[in-house]
Amino acid sequence: MDYTKYKEWLKENLEEERYEHSLGTAECASELAEKYGLDKEKAYLCGLIHDCAKCFSNETLRNQICNCEGLCEGELENPKTYHAPAGAILAEQELGICDSEILSATRWHTLGKSDMTDFEKIIFIADKIEKRTRPLEYRKPIEDALEKSLDHALLVCFGNTIKSLVDRNLGICKTTIDIYNNLLNILDSNKVK
């Protein structure tokens, strides 16, 4: 697959560090896809474009998503999450990507959702552990948990998010708490079996 047009668009529309992060996420997503028997090229493309809306203004992003179906409770209250649903729209309308798996993984790469597919999970995790811009001390606990399973790695990711929000006295979306609790239940029930 030729990624040139996507890279050119991203270079024009992202800050340099965000572009590097996108390249790192693409590389990591491709590696994780290979490890878990998923489409490497599709994972690379999704990792590449997952933050395509990140450098647009909050006002622009909010206007783009305010009428979206399926917004989570409180999602419009946190500008840091606007780029994910807006990115899925932008990827389809501006970049011509129509693959529903790529669009869904882009949509959910920040907030996550219950019952994520393995493809959605690897994009979510790759965003957190890519090596170009993420420091080792942040990546290491997630990478260690990944040795057990995707769900173990997700649990660490969501735990880190919750701790960070609490430390900064920021609200926690109910969806984040629900996903965290659901992962705990899944992993606990797997221990019993």
Side-chain angles (χ1 to χ4, degrees), residues 161-176:
T161 296
I162 292 167
K163 285 178 199 170
S164 174
L165 291 169
V166 168
D167 289 347
R168 295 180 289 152
N169 290 321
L170 296 174
I172 303 170
C173 181
K174 184 181 179 316
T175 301
T176 301

Side-chain angles (χ1 to χ4, degrees), residues 7 19-20 22 43 55 62 66 78 104 108 111 117 125 168 176-177 180-181 185 189:
K7 288 180 179 180
Y19 179 70
E20 279 300 310
S22 297
C55 292
R62 184 180 173 89
C66 67
N78 186 352
S104 182
W108 297 108
L111 191 59
T117 66
I125 293 166
R168 295 180 289 152
T176 301
I177 300 294
Y180 182 80
N181 288 336
N185 289 334
S189 68

Side-chain angles (χ1 to χ4, degrees), residues 39-55:
D39 187 323
K40 288 174 40 175
E41 289 187 357
K42 185 190 289 194
Y44 186 92
L45 177 57
C46 189
L48 188 63
I49 60 95
H50 79 287
D51 271 350
C52 63
K54 188 71 172 181
C55 292

Side-chain angles (χ1 to χ4, degrees), residues 128-144:
K128 310 297 185 275
I129 65 168
E130 59 85 8
K131 295 177 179 161
R132 287 182 180 236
T133 65
R134 300 296 193 209
L136 179 60
E137 61 273 9
Y138 178 78
R139 295 188 333 254
K140 184 78 168 102
I142 301 167
E143 290 170 344
D144 290 347

Side-chain angles (χ1 to χ4, degrees), residues 94-105:
E94 191 78 22
L95 299 174
I97 295 171
C98 57
D99 185 291
S100 61
E101 209 170 22
I102 291 174
L103 296 174
S104 182

Side-chain angles (χ1 to χ4, degrees):
M1 182 180 284
D2 184 8
Y3 306 104
T4 305
K5 74 173 185 176
Y6 304 110
K7 288 180 179 180
E8 287 173 358
W9 189 93
L10 292 170
K11 275 187 176 182
E12 290 176 19
N13 291 281
L14 296 180
E15 295 167 0
E16 187 176 333
E17 185 175 350
R18 183 61 48 187
Y19 179 70
E20 279 300 310
H21 165 70
S22 297
L23 292 175
T25 302
E27 293 159 0
C28 185
S30 180
E31 291 168 12
L32 290 173
E34 182 171 30
K35 179 177 181 177
Y36 289 96
L38 302 171
D39 187 323
K40 288 174 40 175
E41 289 187 357
K42 185 190 289 194
Y44 186 92
L45 177 57
C46 189
L48 188 63
I49 60 95
H50 79 287
D51 271 350
C52 63
K54 188 71 172 181
C55 292
F56 291 90
S57 73
N58 288 337
E59 182 181 351
T60 299
L61 297 177
R62 184 180 173 89
N63 289 339
Q64 188 167 22
I65 66 171
C66 67
N67 294 319
C68 284
E69 291 183 28
L71 289 180
C72 299
E73 181 182 330
E75 193 166 11
L76 284 174
E77 295 169 21
N78 186 352
K80 288 191 172 281
T81 64
Y82 292 175
H83 74 284
I89 294 166
L90 189 66
E92 185 173 22
Q93 294 177 353
E94 191 78 22
L95 299 174
I97 295 171
C98 57
D99 185 291
S100 61
E101 209 170 22
I102 291 174
L103 296 174
S104 182
T106 300
R107 163 64 179 101
W108 297 108
H109 83 271
T110 300
L111 191 59
K113 66 176 184 168
S114 294
D115 303 321
M116 292 168 75
T117 66
D118 282 352
F119 188 82
E120 291 166 336
K121 289 175 185 180
I122 66 165
I123 300 304
F124 188 94
I125 293 166
D127 181 37
K128 310 297 185 275
I129 65 168
E130 59 85 8
K131 295 177 179 161
R132 287 182 180 236
T133 65
R134 300 296 193 209
L136 179 60
E137 61 273 9
Y138 178 78
R139 295 188 333 254
K140 184 78 168 102
I142 301 167
E143 290 170 344
D144 290 347
L146 193 54
E147 293 301 317
K148 294 178 183 176
S149 73
L150 289 169
D151 285 342
H152 281 88
L154 282 177
L155 185 66
V156 173
C157 291
F158 281 100
N160 289 345
T161 296
I162 292 167
K163 285 178 199 170
S164 174
L165 291 169
V166 168
D167 289 347
R168 295 180 289 152
N169 290 321
L170 296 174
I172 303 170
C173 181
K174 184 181 179 316
T175 301
T176 301
I177 300 294
D178 291 344
I179 294 168
Y180 182 80
N181 288 336
N182 187 45
L183 285 165
L184 281 176
N185 289 334
I186 289 168
L187 295 173
D188 283 345
S189 68
N190 287 342
K191 285 181 191 175
V192 174
K193 293 179 181 179

